Every structure is written in structure tokens, then in C-alpha cells.
Amino acid sequence: MSENVVHERAQQLISQERIEGLSASEHTWLAAHLQECDSCADFARKTSTALRSLQTIPIALPAGLAERTQFRVGMRAQQLRQHEPRRRVLWIAAGISWATGVASAPFVWRLFAWLGEHAGVPKLVWEMGFGLWWAVPALIAAVVLLSEHEKQSGERYWLQRSQ
Ligand SMILES: [Zn+2]
């Protein structure tokens, strides 16, 4: 590794430490580098000072450092989000629940109709029951997606606040 790459890696790890933590070997490597490299040690100190003051008073930061820190931290967060397939899984789950609903609707309709005929359930009641059964998976999917959205707005709020 050339000198520059070493410092780049050290600074990348310093940012990463704030977001997702480091593995034991990365931590050891970084600690060793910080011991022998003044400029990276300085960067680490400034990063933690910057992040601390970002959480309290968002002024009086060394020029440019706030943006740099924010940029690295933001990039890291974005990288992590891109790798997170949870949203896609949710959409797939919602899709499957709809497809299952469509596929089984005739059978469930017949089941509800049978209940109406043989168990003496009034027509309006079993028809409503069918309607509800039909809506439940969609409702659950909607609630999950909405709460996911809530959480993301929360994150965005936090990011905006710390700017
Ligand atoms: Zn260095």
C-alpha cells in the first residue's frame, strides 16, 4: 500500500467506526496506525470533536471539517442503505400477500358462503367477513410500509438536525 492509500484507509475506518463499528482486526490496525501517524490521529480527534459539537452546538467548527465529516458519514450511511434489501423484501411480501389473496379468493368466498348457508350466518355478515379477510394482508403490508417510512423520516430529521 502506498502512503496515501494507508491514510485514506485510516480515515475511512475512523468514519466507519462512528456508523457501524469496526471488526477487531480493523480496530487493531487503526489503533496501531493512529499511534504512529500524527495527521490521522489529528483527523480522528477532530472527527470526534466535530461529531460531539454537531450534536450540541452546530457552530464554531474548523472550516470545512463539518462538511467533510458529514460527507463521509453521509456516504457511509448511503452505502449501507443501498446494501439493505429489506425494503425490497417488504414489497415482495406485500405482492405475495396480494397474489395469494387473489388466488384463494374464490375458495374463501365459497367457504364464507357455506358458513352463511350452513351455520346460519346472515348474508351481510359473511360478505363483510369476506371483505375483511381480503383486506387484512393489504392492511398489514400498508402498516409495515408506513412504519418503515416513519423511521426513514426520523433518520432524515436526525441528519438535518446535525447539519
Ligand atoms: Zn495516517
Side-chain angles (χ1 to χ4, degrees):
M1 278 196 277
S2 88
E3 275 297 290
N4 269 344
V5 174
V6 171
H7 299 308
E8 266 295 305
R9 171 155 192 240
Q11 296 185 3
Q12 158 83 38
L13 288 180
I14 290 165
S15 307
Q16 190 181 328
E17 194 177 20
R18 302 285 153 182
I19 311 257
E20 57 189 300
L22 299 176
S23 73
S25 65
E26 285 170 332
H27 192 84
T28 314
W29 184 90
L30 182 61
H33 181 74
L34 291 183
Q35 284 235 311
E36 64 192 27
C37 176
D38 283 343
S39 80
C40 288
D42 192 46
F43 177 84
R45 248 192 322 274
K46 280 181 181 157
T47 298
S48 89
T49 312
L51 284 177
R52 249 204 318 278
S53 38
L54 278 172
Q55 280 158 4
T56 50
I57 317 154
I59 18 169
L61 291 176
L65 182 65
E67 286 101 301
R68 240 173 33 213
T69 307
Q70 201 87 43
F71 178 68
R72 280 172 183 279
V73 170
M75 259 199 5
R76 193 70 209 156
Q78 208 176 7
Q79 273 173 11
L80 287 179
R81 246 197 304 277
Q82 275 166 2
H83 288 301
E84 196 180 41
R86 222 170 37 182
R87 252 187 109 68
R88 204 179 315 149
V89 170
L90 266 175
W91 281 110
I92 291 170
I96 288 174
S97 80
W98 271 103
T100 315
V102 172
S104 58
F107 301 104
V108 175
W109 176 260
R110 241 173 279 161
L111 176 73
F112 275 81
W114 184 88
L115 275 177
E117 230 172 280
H118 296 268
V121 181
K123 191 165 191 278
L124 184 69
V125 173
W126 69 258
E127 277 183 357
M128 269 175 58
F130 175 76
L132 278 176
W133 169 86
W134 172 235
V136 162
L139 276 177
I140 292 172
V143 166
V144 173
L145 284 171
L146 271 177
S147 71
E148 192 70 5
H149 183 73
E150 276 303 308
K151 226 168 53 201
Q152 285 199 341
S153 318
E155 272 173 24
R156 223 171 297 138
Y157 170 71
W158 186 87
L159 278 173
Q160 270 165 7
R161 223 175 57 118
S162 59
Q163 261 167 17

